[in-house]
Amino acid sequence: MPDKTTNRLALKSYLLEINGLQHRVVCLENETLLNVIRKQMKLTGTKRGCECGQCGVCNVILNGKVVRACVVRMKNVPEHAKVLTIEGLGTPDSLHAIQWAFIANNAIQCGFCTPGFIMAAKGLLDENQDPSREEIRDWLGKHWCACRCTGYKQIVNAIRDAALVLQGKKEMTDFGKALKPGEYIWGTNYPRPSDKYKATGTWDFGDDAGMKLPPNTLYAALVHADVNHAEILNIDFSEAEKMPGIAKVVTAKDIYDAGGTNKLFGAQPPAVLAGSGWERPILCDKKIFMWGDVVAIVCGETYEQAEAAVAKVKIDLKELPAYMNVEDAIAPDAMQIHEGVPNVYLETRVQKGEDAEQVLSSLPHIVEDSFYLHRQPHLTLENDVGFGYWDEDGNLTIQSKHIAIYKGAAFLARGIGIQPSKIRLIQNHTGASFGYKLGITNEGFIATAVIATGRPVFCRYDTKHHITYTPKRAPALMEVALGADEKGKIHAMKHRTWIDHGPYSEFSPGLTSKTSHYMGSLYGIPNVSGVGYSVYTNQKWNTAFRAWGAPQVHTAQEIAIDMLAEKIGMDPLEFRYLNAIRPGETFPHGHPPDVYPLPKMVDILRPKYASAMKSAKEESTDTVKKGVGVAFGIYNSNSAGPDTAENNIELMPDGSVMLYNTWEEHGQGADIGMVSTAHRALAPLGIHPDKIKMFINDTHRCPDSGPAAASRCQVMIGHAIVDSCNKLLDAMRKPDGTYRSYQEMLDNEIPVLYNGKYACVTKDEKGEIVPCTHTDANGQGRPYACYMYGLFMAEVDVDVTTGKTWVSKMTLIDDVGVINNYGVVDGQMYGGLAQGIGLALKEDFEDPAKYNNLVACGFPYIKDITDDMELIHMETPREFGPWGASGAGELPLTAPHPAIINAIYNACGARIKRLPATPQKILECLKHNDR
């Protein structure tokens, strides 16, 4: 710290042993061990996450003990301390047993948390050579090891396997050498190509790459207003501009001076849309619409200088009424959040068959109620991070976590005043997204700062701003009426939905239309009438989140189905069996499913369900009640309407091939998805998977394959990969059936680069192959070709004295078509179920002043998630999927939460209709039942 008498900076010198080598480290005594490891030692395998000890991604071993490096101050690190980081454990070519086991058990998805888990596992196995599963879970919980992707089960599997290897009871196999000539890796557990780098900490994420930028890079700090709704009266930047190291304070004026509109990504209007949809400012200059809105960007020579200057900006505001839910925003006396545009600005409708209200009035069994699914935070462990610069061709280049990079360039163009063709987006290695990076978050700030300063700019949100500013899953208030005849057959459904999309419309048309696509979809209901509304509020703006739209719909649909079954006097599983959609029936949009797996799913689950119900009844006590709940789930595997994708393949001089596409990777397994698909398509060449390389996710080097969203990539990009591979094979094939080498291709003047394309098709009512289409004004059309289906069963324990609920087991029967990679699909299912448990019971985001860290938002740690998750795969081949495949990633978060809610009711009679099912809500419901 500075010496006040001499104005000198006092530093401390340490001799440390880091990864077996002695280093003299000179640092501030109050510096964190994390910053010394990353910034001074340049050991970026230890990741920077929350920086408050809540995520464990920075776990290292200090003098034999696992510590979170972000909360260890150097003044507490003794001289000659031994520090072990992930780099000291193993390398991609020489894996430690723990690293190998994580790869072998598919315990790695995005990989951001992986080094922290591996170092925690090392500490455990140094102390306990043969830990039980529960001892592993206790240890990881004690060390705050957090994962948003995997669901934890595979991580426990990996640590158990590592223990066996270290005991000499299991051998480490070489994954590549285990493959026999002529074998496909399609349909196996073959590891992802990225796994060995993620397991060794050599996979650079955005923050790691940002540390390796040129010396003239500026650091951006954001000036944001922590108020929900206000008029901007004045902003004084004068003191901030005088602070040391400040290159520029960028404001909205700089955007206008550069020819930009200062508006981002207008919602694409359907038939009814009030306003233009282009209401979101990059930098607010007139109003604050939500907590965390940014008014300026301070660009400094160091991050610390930029942050210090932010504190000097003075914002004079006039607070306005804040509408934090749809009920308040649609009230008659509510002011317009965007002047001249009503707060209910969009509606979509569906009408199938007769008017549902009239049909309902004639039916003997009806339920009618309202339901609410809350605002779910994405809670990625890697914060929003990226950087930008001018490339050698004069393109504004942004490297970020974006997962729709061609769309991202289009979303930015008008706002910053640059043509999309001159905007180059490159996806950095990404520590999860779950959909929030479909939209623009930091890219607008980075672009604006690069344009205004002419220099490279790096921007990383801290955890508080990452959580409070980035968009969330949109809440939905839903009214549903269902009616069935004397035999229990459902004949009609009526529904109304209000989507709280925050102050910015962006993706709201697509989300609101999901209610018409899916409300009642799994039951072949002949008469459906529904309407969905998009509503402006001053809550957090909302965007895509895994299973976008389906968790809202299934909350209302699957709880209402249970209520109707009870009213009729039927078992809820048998009621679903009776009404499950079958051949001859159609979805609410009038188009039939691609396959009909639901009745068979019930057949498979029936004995497990009966056993679970029996156990729940026998094992319940006066204080802890056990219950079982079920729910169907469905999601699409292509973007709605005329979806397209492209892929390029190039034969390389060494006989390998290079794939070029925009299958953006954010943990879901894009790399093995494309390698396995190409490996099977190129089987005639006998090429080894290691010879299939990828140059991906760069708008100026790769064709547009569309976004990594809607679980569309295996279907859409998979087809494009197959098409390009077939074209290459046709070009390489000689008259005798053998294949030309690279040199022979050149000698014969045959191109070595081929473009593959695919446009989504399905079948019409005549059985003819036709393009997919958007739905019309009545919600009728052919929006999707492939779907994924699931039947969820939750088993819960409810302590009726406290309301605390624990999910003891989750069972999922899924049908995602023919499976490309079992390890990847299993990981998607486990991870989605874990997120569903969090959604049902504890995750939330209401008050941005309070919900500003992982714990406050209800992040589900390992002890919050059951270790007992059972997956049963039904692989019904899809006609319009490559080799019968469909998508997978969205399915597991479609409906685990209503299964849990239904199980709570089965356990104790508390029917929760507004999620999450907190202990307080359960107790209140039980008290109401007593009255």
Side-chain angles (χ1 to χ4, degrees):
M1 63 182 63
D3 185 323
K4 293 181 181 178
T5 59
T6 62
N7 199 32
R8 291 181 296 195
L9 190 66
L11 300 176
K12 188 168 182 177
S13 177
Y14 295 78
L15 271 177
L16 300 177
E17 183 182 305
I18 302 177
N19 296 331
L21 299 175
Q22 191 178 81
H23 294 273
R24 181 168 292 280
V25 176
V26 179
C27 63
L28 294 166
E29 66 172 3
N30 208 42
E31 185 60 272
T32 64
L33 177 59
L34 175 64
N35 282 341
V36 168
I37 290 170
R38 285 180 58 82
K39 293 183 177 180
Q40 296 186 219
M41 303 307 298
K42 306 302 180 185
L43 296 172
T44 55
T46 302
K47 302 308 174 188
R48 179 162 66 135
C50 67
E51 295 188 277
C52 61
Q54 292 184 358
C55 71
V57 303
C58 64
N59 279 334
V60 297
I61 296 178
L62 174 64
N63 286 337
K65 299 295 182 183
V66 178
V67 300
R68 285 159 282 152
C70 71
V71 294
V72 174
R73 299 291 173 178
M74 289 305 295
K75 63 185 178 184
N76 299 319
V77 176
E79 188 89 19
H80 304 297
K82 294 182 179 181
V83 180
L84 181 67
T85 75
I86 192 75
E87 290 90 345
L89 200 61
T91 68
D93 295 324
S94 181
L95 296 168
H96 186 278
I98 302 173
Q99 295 165 324
W100 172 87
F102 267 66
I103 297 170
N105 284 276
N106 303 104
I108 304 170
Q109 291 190 29
C110 82
F112 190 74
C113 69
T114 301
F117 270 96
I118 288 174
M119 296 311 297
K122 174 70 164 67
L124 170 62
L125 296 178
D126 284 347
E127 291 188 14
N128 182 350
Q129 293 185 355
D130 191 24
S132 67
R133 295 188 70 86
E134 204 55 35
E135 286 173 330
I136 293 170
R137 286 164 55 82
D138 287 341
W139 178 271
L140 296 176
K142 181 176 76 170
H143 291 287
W144 291 83
C145 293
C147 180
R148 190 62 162 156
C149 297
T150 63
Y152 300 108
K153 182 170 182 173
Q154 315 92 298
I155 292 173
V156 179
N157 294 344
I159 297 173
R160 286 289 303 146
D161 261 7
L164 294 176
V165 172
L166 293 172
Q167 293 171 51
K169 296 178 181 178
K170 191 165 190 171
E171 291 186 7
M172 293 166 54
T173 57
D174 185 314
F175 306 110
K177 291 179 181 177
L179 186 68
K180 298 175 182 177
E183 287 184 337
Y184 296 145
I185 59 171
W186 178 283
T188 70
N189 283 311
Y190 200 80
R192 308 176 191 214
S194 58
D195 276 358
K196 63 182 178 181
Y197 305 109
K198 293 173 180 176
T200 53
T202 52
W203 190 255
D204 274 357
F205 293 90
D207 196 20
D208 308 325
M211 291 176 60
K212 299 164 187 177
L213 291 170
N216 64 341
T217 298
L218 291 170
Y219 294 83
L222 306 177
V223 182
H224 47 89
D226 291 343
V227 62
N228 294 310
H229 195 196
E231 180 184 346
I232 299 173
L233 301 178
N234 186 55
I235 309 175
D236 184 355
F237 305 103
S238 57
E239 288 189 46
E241 291 172 325
K242 297 173 185 176
M243 292 288 286
I246 300 307
K248 187 172 179 60
V249 178
V250 182
T251 69
K253 183 178 182 300
D254 294 293
I255 299 175
Y256 299 133
D257 289 347
T261 65
N262 192 30
K263 294 293 191 294
L264 286 172
F265 179 26
Q268 305 305 307
V272 181
L273 175 65
S276 68
W278 290 84
E279 73 284 279
R280 179 184 163 200
I282 300 172
L283 296 175
C284 295
D285 57 344
K286 296 180 176 63
K287 276 186 72 174
I288 301 299
F289 297 97
M290 68 174 193
W291 185 283
D293 265 344
V294 176
V295 300
I297 308 159
V298 178
C299 298
E301 301 296 337
T302 70
Y303 177 78
E304 291 76 15
Q305 288 172 328
E307 281 292 327
V310 164
K312 299 297 183 180
V313 176
K314 299 174 183 177
I315 310 174
D316 188 12
L317 300 171
K318 176 186 176 183
E319 285 205 49
L320 300 171
Y323 306 112
M324 305 301 283
N325 53 62
V326 294
E327 291 97 331
D328 291 345
I330 65 178
D333 60 346
M335 69 178 293
Q336 292 179 341
I337 292 172
H338 295 282
E339 188 175 352
V341 183
N343 290 344
V344 180
Y345 60 91
L346 179 149
E347 68 176 43
T348 61
R349 294 185 174 273
V350 60
Q351 181 57 56
K352 175 190 173 187
E354 299 177 23
D355 181 75
E357 188 167 9
Q358 293 185 6
V359 178
L360 285 167
S361 65
S362 67
L363 295 171
H365 302 295
I366 301 171
V367 295
E368 188 168 5
D369 218 317
S370 62
F371 307 87
Y372 177 78
L373 184 72
H374 54 298
R375 183 175 288 98
Q376 185 184 21
H378 295 71
L379 299 179
T380 62
L381 300 184
E382 183 194 31
N383 293 345
D384 211 47
V385 61
F387 49 88
Y389 50 91
W390 294 104
D391 76 4
E392 69 276 19
D393 296 319
N395 300 304
L396 176 63
T397 304
I398 300 169
Q399 296 187 209
S400 71
K401 296 177 65 175
H402 211 275
I403 59 168
I405 55 176
Y406 270 91
K407 289 183 180 295
F411 296 165
L412 277 171
R414 286 177 58 177
I416 62 176
I418 294 181
Q419 294 180 356
S421 62
K422 296 301 292 180
I423 301 172
R424 181 182 183 186
L425 257 62
I426 300 171
Q427 187 202 19
N428 284 327
H429 293 157
T430 292
S433 159
F434 308 114
Y436 93 91
K437 284 304 298 183
L438 271 174
I440 298 296
T441 54
N442 59 8
E443 290 85 0
F445 307 134
I446 293 168
T448 297
V450 171
I451 293 168
T453 64
R455 291 171 60 178
V457 176
F458 175 85
C459 179
R460 178 188 182 271
Y461 296 179
D462 63 22
T463 294
K464 180 178 178 180
H465 194 62
H466 174 68
I467 291 175
T468 57
Y469 181 71
T470 54
K472 310 291 177 255
R473 184 188 300 284
L477 177 64
M478 298 159 284
E479 295 178 350
V480 170
L482 270 175
D485 62 21
E486 297 84 353
K487 296 180 180 179
K489 187 66 176 173
I490 301 172
H491 286 272
M493 182 182 206
K494 180 184 176 183
H495 58 85
R496 287 199 299 173
T497 300
W498 291 266
I499 298 289
D500 175 351
H501 216 265
Y504 306 131
S505 58
E506 298 194 356
F507 295 108
S508 59
L511 175 59
T512 307
S513 69
K514 290 286 186 184
T515 62
S516 63
H517 293 170
Y518 283 136
M519 194 71 83
S521 57
L522 293 165
Y523 301 100
I525 303 171
N527 306 293
V528 180
S529 303
V531 59
Y533 304 102
S534 292
V535 183
Y536 286 130
T537 71
N538 294 115
Q539 253 291 2
K540 192 53 51 202
W541 111 91
N542 297 294
T543 192
F545 194 154
R546 187 182 204 167
W548 188 51
Q552 293 91 331
V553 166
H554 287 86
T555 296
Q557 171 184 281
E558 293 302 302
I559 298 175
I561 286 289
D562 258 38
M563 293 169 66
L564 185 55
E566 182 182 38
K567 190 165 189 177
I568 296 170
M570 290 187 67
D571 175 87
L573 182 64
E574 296 306 326
F575 185 61
R576 285 174 171 83
Y577 181 80
L578 172 67
N579 285 286
I581 192 167
R582 288 173 169 83
E585 298 175 328
T586 62
F587 289 138
H589 50 69
H591 195 242
D594 51 350
V595 293
Y596 298 86
L598 299 184
K600 184 177 178 182
M601 287 181 176
V602 175
D603 288 337
I604 294 171
L605 186 65
R606 192 175 280 115
K608 295 177 179 292
Y609 174 76
S611 175
M613 291 286 282
K614 181 174 182 291
S615 296
K617 184 176 181 180
E618 293 174 351
E619 296 172 14
S620 289
T621 67
D622 290 341
T623 56
V624 177
K625 304 295 185 182
K626 294 177 177 288
V628 182
V630 294
F632 278 145
I634 183 175
Y635 207 73
N636 48 281
S637 293
N638 61 277
S639 296
D643 197 2
T644 61
E646 294 186 38
N647 177 80
N648 288 347
I649 188 168
E650 182 178 12
L651 181 64
M652 308 303 285
D654 65 353
S656 65
V657 297
M658 185 74 74
L659 303 177
Y660 302 86
N661 61 53
T662 60
W663 190 336
E664 294 94 349
E665 164 64 39
H666 48 129
Q668 81 281 26
D671 55 352
I672 192 62
M674 63 183 80
V675 169
S676 294
T677 303
H679 184 252
R680 178 164 178 174
L682 296 172
L685 297 181
I687 191 170
H688 192 276
D690 290 347
K691 288 287 191 178
I692 301 173
K693 310 295 184 180
M694 293 161 283
F695 189 107
I696 54 176
N697 303 327
D698 180 341
T699 57
H700 281 220
R701 294 292 300 275
C702 306
D704 186 359
S705 312
S711 290
R712 60 179 290 281
C713 294
Q714 181 60 73
V715 173
M716 299 301 301
I717 306 175
H719 272 304
I721 289 172
V722 173
D723 185 45
S724 63
C725 289
N726 288 339
K727 290 174 179 175
L728 176 62
L729 288 173
D730 289 344
M732 293 177 68
R733 192 177 296 111
K734 298 178 182 179
D736 65 359
T738 60
Y739 292 88
R740 297 180 178 90
S741 67
Y742 176 85
Q743 189 58 50
E744 287 173 321
M745 297 283 280
L746 296 188
D747 292 343
N748 287 275
E749 298 183 345
I750 301 173
V752 293
L753 177 69
Y754 292 88
N755 173 255
K757 296 182 179 181
Y758 183 68
C760 196
V761 296
T762 184
K763 283 184 175 178
D764 64 13
E765 60 277 3
K766 299 177 183 178
E768 297 177 354
I769 295 177
V770 294
C772 290
T773 64
H774 288 295
T775 51
D776 61 20
N778 285 321
Q780 302 302 291
R782 300 183 297 270
Y784 310 116
C786 293
Y787 298 84
M788 50 196 127
Y789 307 83
L791 175 54
F792 299 80
M793 182 173 75
E795 299 173 50
V796 305
D797 296 8
V798 182
D799 186 331
V800 294
T801 65
T802 65
K804 183 175 175 56
T805 297
W806 164 251
V807 177
S808 57
K809 182 175 182 179
M810 290 294 298
T811 302
L812 170 57
I813 303 173
D814 64 76
D815 194 326
V816 298
V818 177
I819 291 175
N820 177 339
N821 186 284
Y822 285 96
V824 166
V825 169
D826 285 354
Q828 290 296 288
M829 299 304 152
Y830 290 136
L833 291 176
Q835 289 180 334
I837 292 171
L839 177 61
L841 300 180
K842 59 181 305 194
E843 293 177 34
D844 206 353
F845 186 95
E846 288 302 324
D847 183 351
K850 298 177 181 178
Y851 290 73
N852 56 26
N853 60 66
L854 298 177
V855 172
C857 289
F859 188 97
Y861 292 90
I862 191 166
K863 296 294 285 185
D864 297 312
I865 304 301
T866 179
D867 192 40
D868 193 355
M869 292 190 275
E870 181 180 1
L871 305 178
I872 301 170
H873 301 310
M874 283 175 52
E875 297 186 62
T876 309
R878 303 301 201 267
E879 180 177 0
F880 296 109
W883 296 303
S886 188
E890 318 288 345
L891 175 69
L893 197 46
T894 56
H897 53 297
I900 294 167
I901 299 302
N902 290 336
I904 291 171
Y905 181 78
N906 177 254
C908 66
R911 177 75 76 191
I912 304 300
K913 301 169 189 174
R914 294 182 69 94
L915 276 65
T918 61
Q920 295 80 6
K921 289 181 184 177
I922 291 172
L923 286 178
E924 288 172 7
C925 192
L926 291 174
K927 290 177 183 177
H928 179 77
N929 290 348
D930 289 341
R931 290 196 295 270

